[in-house]
Amino acid sequence: MKKDRFTFHAYLKEGTHAPTTEETYTGQEWVSFGLDNLFPQAIGTLRDNCVPLGRCWSMATAFIAGKGVKFYDREGEEIEAAQERFQQWMLDSSEEEFLHATASDIALGLSKAWVVRRAYGGSIARLDHLDVSRLRAGHLQSGKVKDYFWSADWSRCTDAGEKFKPVKLPAFDITGKRSKSVLYTKTYKQGRDHYSEPWFLPIVPDCEVWIKVPAFNKTQIDTGFRPSVHLHTFISGDTKDLEQYDKDIEDAYTGATGRGIFHTFGTTEEGAPTLTSLPRGDHAGELDTMRDNAEKVIVRGYGVPDILYRMDTAGGLSSQGSALKAAVDQFMNGFVIPMQQIITRDLVRLMNADGLADVWEARIEQLELFREEGVSDDLKLQVMTRDEIREELDLPELGGEKGEAIPGEKKAAPEPKPMPAKKGAADTTDEETPEDNGVL
């Protein structure tokens, strides 16, 4: 008996949101990032129009950038010379601007790119941030990308003359033979040789859904919430008359001030107009639940904890305090610090290449979400129990129920405030003395 043979050519019917980056032999020296070579720009547009994604991006950018970078040796001792060298590299921007711009690219899922400039003799003289969304990789040579190309606008690079013509830049060479080179860090992903791809690609459809709901609501408002009507009128006239007639109907039935009654006129020789009322479909507000669900998927797919994204204290600060602290710790250790290593690893690499061989590690100083002084004391009183505060202060726990007196402890009675001197007394003056206001 002959057996049927089946061959599967595709397993994912829905396709993929990952960009196409295959090397094509069309004569161009760079590899297209997406079918239209504009995948980074598409991700940026998605962020600009989707509030949840934009907020996650800005939050992650701030956390990844931190408050500055420091360098350490194998024993964990800070190396001041490395910090001074790093500041010397920052010629056109400050350390804060450099870290924030780099973190912005990383938070968008595109990794990062720097331009390393060397002085005569090979020492590093300058380090600049490069907009990674405008960078394209060249074809592989011996399994590696040896050249990169940068254009201010890739959508116009082929038809705008020299203005947007891609500029060829060599890849970073640790030997120091190139006066200017690009240090592009590509996060690893199987089968990807040229570019980093966002980890949040699966939430792209949810971002598109979120964007469409406000647009739908806006359309409903613009049309004045009027029911859809099919009006067929028997009328004779030339093309210009029919266009004006159609415009009059549209003006009457649309807009925030649309008329509730549309009155038409006709002659006895003409047929009566046929009016067909169509039932109203979804209107503004009915899709808000869909938008809210999409927001949850976007936030969780990006990787920001819900409690940190919403800062929801509806259950009371006491019940949310521990959960918020745990969420911040998880976000820092599981998301932020791994992203920061994209920056710190290359900084250590550059320091070693510039002669500072004792630099073993670089760390970005983290943001202080809960400050240790000032206003944070009030927050602690609201989110921590009294025993938690005593434990932080290295004090023994209090026994008994809340409000119950503790044996051996007595509250000191407040000292009575001094009575103000009576006006008109012979031994008083108009001015208060230190004794009067309790200073002494």
Side-chain angles (χ1 to χ4, degrees), residues 4 77 170 178-179 242 253 295 351 367 379 399 401 424:
D4 295 331
E77 297 294 331
R178 296 168 177 172
S179 60
L242 293 178
Y253 268 90
E295 181 181 20
M351 288 291 174
L367 292 179
L379 181 61
E401 300 293 335

Short mmCIF file of all heavy atoms in Angstrom, two decimals, residues 4 77 170 178-179 242 253 295 351 367 379 399 401 424:
data_model
loop_
_atom_site.label_atom_id
_atom_site.label_comp_id
_atom_site.label_asym_id
_atom_site.label_seq_id
_atom_site.Cartn_x
_atom_site.Cartn_y
_atom_site.Cartn_z
N ASP A 4 0.77 8.15 1.65
CA ASP A 4 0.79 9.55 1.25
C ASP A 4 1.93 10.27 1.94
O ASP A 4 2.23 10.03 3.12
CB ASP A 4 -0.53 10.23 1.59
CG ASP A 4 -1.68 9.64 0.79
OD1 ASP A 4 -1.42 9.16 -0.33
OD2 ASP A 4 -2.82 9.66 1.30
N GLU A 77 37.77 48.60 43.90
CA GLU A 77 38.16 49.97 44.24
C GLU A 77 37.92 50.88 43.04
O GLU A 77 38.24 50.54 41.90
CB GLU A 77 39.63 50.03 44.64
CG GLU A 77 39.97 49.22 45.89
CD GLU A 77 39.31 49.79 47.14
OE1 GLU A 77 39.08 51.04 47.17
OE2 GLU A 77 39.02 49.01 48.06
N PRO A 170 34.01 52.82 8.90
CA PRO A 170 34.54 51.50 9.25
C PRO A 170 34.10 51.07 10.65
O PRO A 170 33.82 51.90 11.51
CB PRO A 170 36.06 51.72 9.19
CG PRO A 170 36.25 53.17 9.48
CD PRO A 170 35.06 53.86 8.89
N ARG A 178 42.40 53.07 12.83
CA ARG A 178 41.43 53.92 12.17
C ARG A 178 41.15 55.14 13.03
O ARG A 178 40.86 55.03 14.22
CB ARG A 178 40.13 53.15 11.91
CG ARG A 178 40.32 51.98 10.94
CD ARG A 178 39.13 51.07 10.92
NE ARG A 178 39.31 49.99 9.93
CZ ARG A 178 38.50 48.96 9.81
NH1 ARG A 178 37.46 48.85 10.61
NH2 ARG A 178 38.72 48.04 8.89
N SER A 179 41.22 56.31 12.42
CA SER A 179 41.02 57.55 13.17
C SER A 179 39.57 57.74 13.61
O SER A 179 39.31 58.39 14.61
CB SER A 179 41.47 58.74 12.33
OG SER A 179 40.70 58.81 11.13
N LEU A 242 -24.75 67.41 -9.03
CA LEU A 242 -24.78 66.22 -8.17
C LEU A 242 -23.69 66.30 -7.09
O LEU A 242 -23.92 65.90 -5.95
CB LEU A 242 -24.57 64.97 -9.03
CG LEU A 242 -25.69 64.62 -10.02
CD1 LEU A 242 -25.32 63.39 -10.83
CD2 LEU A 242 -27.02 64.41 -9.29
N TYR A 253 -25.46 66.06 7.61
CA TYR A 253 -25.51 64.85 8.42
C TYR A 253 -24.23 64.58 9.21
O TYR A 253 -24.19 63.64 9.98
CB TYR A 253 -25.81 63.64 7.53
CG TYR A 253 -27.29 63.34 7.45
CD1 TYR A 253 -28.07 63.93 6.46
CD2 TYR A 253 -27.90 62.51 8.37
CE1 TYR A 253 -29.42 63.67 6.37
CE2 TYR A 253 -29.25 62.24 8.30
CZ TYR A 253 -30.01 62.82 7.30
OH TYR A 253 -31.36 62.57 7.23
N GLU A 295 -3.42 47.78 26.52
CA GLU A 295 -2.43 48.47 27.34
C GLU A 295 -1.74 47.52 28.30
O GLU A 295 -0.52 47.57 28.49
CB GLU A 295 -3.09 49.62 28.11
CG GLU A 295 -2.13 50.41 28.97
CD GLU A 295 -2.82 51.51 29.74
OE1 GLU A 295 -4.05 51.43 29.91
OE2 GLU A 295 -2.14 52.46 30.18
N MET A 351 38.32 51.57 27.68
CA MET A 351 39.33 51.94 28.66
C MET A 351 40.56 51.05 28.54
O MET A 351 41.71 51.53 28.58
CB MET A 351 38.75 51.85 30.08
CG MET A 351 37.75 52.94 30.41
SD MET A 351 38.55 54.56 30.54
CE MET A 351 37.11 55.61 30.73
N LEU A 367 19.14 55.09 39.74
CA LEU A 367 18.23 56.12 40.22
C LEU A 367 17.74 55.80 41.62
O LEU A 367 17.58 54.63 41.98
CB LEU A 367 17.01 56.23 39.29
CG LEU A 367 17.24 56.75 37.87
CD1 LEU A 367 15.92 56.76 37.11
CD2 LEU A 367 17.83 58.15 37.90
N LEU A 379 7.11 58.99 53.36
CA LEU A 379 6.66 57.83 52.62
C LEU A 379 6.87 56.56 53.43
O LEU A 379 6.01 55.68 53.45
CB LEU A 379 7.42 57.73 51.29
CG LEU A 379 7.04 56.56 50.39
CD1 LEU A 379 5.58 56.64 49.99
CD2 LEU A 379 7.93 56.53 49.15
N GLY A 399 6.88 44.86 71.77
CA GLY A 399 5.92 43.80 72.07
C GLY A 399 4.53 44.35 72.32
O GLY A 399 4.32 45.56 72.39
N GLU A 401 0.19 44.70 71.85
CA GLU A 401 -0.68 45.18 70.78
C GLU A 401 -0.38 46.64 70.48
O GLU A 401 0.27 47.34 71.25
CB GLU A 401 -2.15 45.02 71.20
CG GLU A 401 -2.55 43.58 71.50
CD GLU A 401 -2.52 42.71 70.27
OE1 GLU A 401 -2.67 43.28 69.16
OE2 GLU A 401 -2.35 41.49 70.40
N GLY A 424 2.22 95.63 79.04
CA GLY A 424 2.12 96.71 80.03
C GLY A 424 2.89 96.45 81.29
O GLY A 424 2.94 97.30 82.17
#
